[in-house]
Amino acid sequence: MDTLHDINLTFLQQKGFKTTALEGLNKALNWLKTTDADCLMHGKGTGDPFDIMVGEMRRPMLIASVEHAIMQFSE
């Protein structure tokens, strides 16, 4: 999961979230849970049905990476 985890956090960093701080991770987690699925492909909504479908598949992986990073702060 390390490579996928790193890629997911890099995606979130590119969207402006500070993934090296607990506050930034919590903001990213909230965004991941509430944003439109197609925003999870390119960072902004396109309305494309394929982007929506893939975004919904990608959402749990992104959330898992953020939750894993948050848990690392607790250790």
Side-chain angles (χ1 to χ4, degrees), residues 35-49:
T35 195
D36 292 332
D38 56 345
C39 292
L40 302 176
M41 286 294 297
H42 307 288
K44 59 182 176 181
T46 62
D48 184 286

PDB file of all heavy atoms in Angstrom, residues 35-49:
ATOM      1  N   THR A  35     -17.240  15.619  -1.509  1.00  0.00           N
ATOM      2  CA  THR A  35     -17.118  16.166  -2.864  1.00  0.00           C
ATOM      3  C   THR A  35     -17.770  15.255  -3.895  1.00  0.00           C
ATOM      4  O   THR A  35     -17.978  14.058  -3.658  1.00  0.00           O
ATOM      5  CB  THR A  35     -15.635  16.405  -3.219  1.00  0.00           C
ATOM      6  OG1 THR A  35     -15.567  17.232  -4.375  1.00  0.00           O
ATOM      7  CG2 THR A  35     -14.903  15.100  -3.507  1.00  0.00           C
ATOM      8  N   ASP A  36     -18.109  15.828  -5.040  1.00  0.00           N
ATOM      9  CA  ASP A  36     -18.646  15.033  -6.139  1.00  0.00           C
ATOM     10  C   ASP A  36     -17.584  14.044  -6.617  1.00  0.00           C
ATOM     11  O   ASP A  36     -16.386  14.358  -6.639  1.00  0.00           O
ATOM     12  CB  ASP A  36     -19.056  15.926  -7.310  1.00  0.00           C
ATOM     13  CG  ASP A  36     -20.256  16.797  -6.977  1.00  0.00           C
ATOM     14  OD1 ASP A  36     -21.074  16.382  -6.131  1.00  0.00           O
ATOM     15  OD2 ASP A  36     -20.372  17.889  -7.573  1.00  0.00           O
ATOM     16  N   ALA A  37     -18.036  12.878  -7.026  1.00  0.00           N
ATOM     17  CA  ALA A  37     -17.110  11.808  -7.407  1.00  0.00           C
ATOM     18  C   ALA A  37     -16.196  12.191  -8.564  1.00  0.00           C
ATOM     19  O   ALA A  37     -15.030  11.788  -8.596  1.00  0.00           O
ATOM     20  CB  ALA A  37     -17.883  10.542  -7.747  1.00  0.00           C
ATOM     21  N   ASP A  38     -16.705  12.956  -9.515  1.00  0.00           N
ATOM     22  CA  ASP A  38     -15.859  13.280 -10.664  1.00  0.00           C
ATOM     23  C   ASP A  38     -14.724  14.233 -10.303  1.00  0.00           C
ATOM     24  O   ASP A  38     -13.745  14.344 -11.030  1.00  0.00           O
ATOM     25  CB  ASP A  38     -16.659  13.777 -11.859  1.00  0.00           C
ATOM     26  CG  ASP A  38     -17.539  14.972 -11.583  1.00  0.00           C
ATOM     27  OD1 ASP A  38     -17.783  15.278 -10.403  1.00  0.00           O
ATOM     28  OD2 ASP A  38     -18.001  15.595 -12.559  1.00  0.00           O
ATOM     29  N   CYS A  39     -14.818  14.882  -9.145  1.00  0.00           N
ATOM     30  CA  CYS A  39     -13.710  15.723  -8.667  1.00  0.00           C
ATOM     31  C   CYS A  39     -12.522  14.872  -8.232  1.00  0.00           C
ATOM     32  O   CYS A  39     -11.404  15.373  -8.101  1.00  0.00           O
ATOM     33  CB  CYS A  39     -14.162  16.585  -7.496  1.00  0.00           C
ATOM     34  SG  CYS A  39     -15.363  17.833  -7.957  1.00  0.00           S
ATOM     35  N   LEU A  40     -12.751  13.596  -8.004  1.00  0.00           N
ATOM     36  CA  LEU A  40     -11.689  12.710  -7.543  1.00  0.00           C
ATOM     37  C   LEU A  40     -10.837  12.179  -8.689  1.00  0.00           C
ATOM     38  O   LEU A  40      -9.874  11.455  -8.466  1.00  0.00           O
ATOM     39  CB  LEU A  40     -12.285  11.550  -6.737  1.00  0.00           C
ATOM     40  CG  LEU A  40     -13.107  11.994  -5.530  1.00  0.00           C
ATOM     41  CD1 LEU A  40     -13.731  10.786  -4.853  1.00  0.00           C
ATOM     42  CD2 LEU A  40     -12.260  12.797  -4.553  1.00  0.00           C
ATOM     43  N   MET A  41     -11.180  12.551  -9.889  1.00  0.00           N
ATOM     44  CA  MET A  41     -10.366  12.167 -11.047  1.00  0.00           C
ATOM     45  C   MET A  41      -9.382  13.278 -11.397  1.00  0.00           C
ATOM     46  O   MET A  41      -8.201  13.045 -11.516  1.00  0.00           O
ATOM     47  CB  MET A  41     -11.260  11.882 -12.256  1.00  0.00           C
ATOM     48  CG  MET A  41     -12.001  10.581 -12.159  1.00  0.00           C
ATOM     49  SD  MET A  41     -10.887   9.175 -12.209  1.00  0.00           S
ATOM     50  CE  MET A  41     -10.185   9.338 -13.841  1.00  0.00           C
ATOM     51  N   HIS A  42      -9.897  14.478 -11.555  1.00  0.00           N
ATOM     52  CA  HIS A  42      -9.070  15.588 -12.035  1.00  0.00           C
ATOM     53  C   HIS A  42      -8.972  16.734 -11.032  1.00  0.00           C
ATOM     54  O   HIS A  42      -8.272  17.696 -11.284  1.00  0.00           O
ATOM     55  CB  HIS A  42      -9.620  16.128 -13.361  1.00  0.00           C
ATOM     56  CG  HIS A  42      -9.800  15.070 -14.398  1.00  0.00           C
ATOM     57  ND1 HIS A  42      -8.750  14.469 -15.046  1.00  0.00           N
ATOM     58  CD2 HIS A  42     -10.923  14.463 -14.869  1.00  0.00           C
ATOM     59  CE1 HIS A  42      -9.202  13.550 -15.887  1.00  0.00           C
ATOM     60  NE2 HIS A  42     -10.516  13.526 -15.798  1.00  0.00           N
ATOM     61  N   GLY A  43      -9.700  16.616  -9.934  1.00  0.00           N
ATOM     62  CA  GLY A  43      -9.695  17.669  -8.940  1.00  0.00           C
ATOM     63  C   GLY A  43     -10.795  18.689  -9.127  1.00  0.00           C
ATOM     64  O   GLY A  43     -11.024  19.519  -8.280  1.00  0.00           O
ATOM     65  N   LYS A  44     -11.487  18.617 -10.256  1.00  0.00           N
ATOM     66  CA  LYS A  44     -12.650  19.473 -10.480  1.00  0.00           C
ATOM     67  C   LYS A  44     -13.665  18.665 -11.267  1.00  0.00           C
ATOM     68  O   LYS A  44     -13.322  17.762 -12.027  1.00  0.00           O
ATOM     69  CB  LYS A  44     -12.270  20.747 -11.229  1.00  0.00           C
ATOM     70  CG  LYS A  44     -11.632  20.538 -12.573  1.00  0.00           C
ATOM     71  CD  LYS A  44     -11.237  21.846 -13.211  1.00  0.00           C
ATOM     72  CE  LYS A  44     -10.514  21.571 -14.527  1.00  0.00           C
ATOM     73  NZ  LYS A  44     -10.105  22.793 -15.171  1.00  0.00           N
ATOM     74  N   GLY A  45     -14.916  18.978 -11.050  1.00  0.00           N
ATOM     75  CA  GLY A  45     -15.981  18.222 -11.693  1.00  0.00           C
ATOM     76  C   GLY A  45     -16.028  18.422 -13.195  1.00  0.00           C
ATOM     77  O   GLY A  45     -15.820  19.526 -13.688  1.00  0.00           O
ATOM     78  N   THR A  46     -16.303  17.333 -13.899  1.00  0.00           N
ATOM     79  CA  THR A  46     -16.432  17.393 -15.350  1.00  0.00           C
ATOM     80  C   THR A  46     -17.840  17.018 -15.793  1.00  0.00           C
ATOM     81  O   THR A  46     -18.239  17.356 -16.888  1.00  0.00           O
ATOM     82  CB  THR A  46     -15.447  16.426 -16.034  1.00  0.00           C
ATOM     83  OG1 THR A  46     -15.762  15.098 -15.628  1.00  0.00           O
ATOM     84  CG2 THR A  46     -14.010  16.760 -15.682  1.00  0.00           C
ATOM     85  N   GLY A  47     -18.541  16.275 -14.932  1.00  0.00           N
ATOM     86  CA  GLY A  47     -19.860  15.787 -15.299  1.00  0.00           C
ATOM     87  C   GLY A  47     -19.817  14.552 -16.174  1.00  0.00           C
ATOM     88  O   GLY A  47     -20.850  13.987 -16.518  1.00  0.00           O
ATOM     89  N   ASP A  48     -18.632  14.105 -16.533  1.00  0.00           N
ATOM     90  CA  ASP A  48     -18.476  12.938 -17.388  1.00  0.00           C
ATOM     91  C   ASP A  48     -18.863  11.679 -16.612  1.00  0.00           C
ATOM     92  O   ASP A  48     -18.337  11.436 -15.523  1.00  0.00           O
ATOM     93  CB  ASP A  48     -17.024  12.850 -17.860  1.00  0.00           C
ATOM     94  CG  ASP A  48     -16.806  11.706 -18.830  1.00  0.00           C
ATOM     95  OD1 ASP A  48     -16.800  10.546 -18.379  1.00  0.00           O
ATOM     96  OD2 ASP A  48     -16.633  11.985 -20.032  1.00  0.00           O
ATOM     97  N   PRO A  49     -19.750  10.847 -17.144  1.00  0.00           N
ATOM     98  CA  PRO A  49     -20.175   9.641 -16.434  1.00  0.00           C
ATOM     99  C   PRO A  49     -19.022   8.697 -16.091  1.00  0.00           C
ATOM    100  O   PRO A  49     -19.026   8.067 -15.034  1.00  0.00           O
ATOM    101  CB  PRO A  49     -21.158   8.970 -17.398  1.00  0.00           C
ATOM    102  CG  PRO A  49     -21.637  10.064 -18.287  1.00  0.00           C
ATOM    103  CD  PRO A  49     -20.493  11.035 -18.386  1.00  0.00           C
TER     104      PRO A  49
END
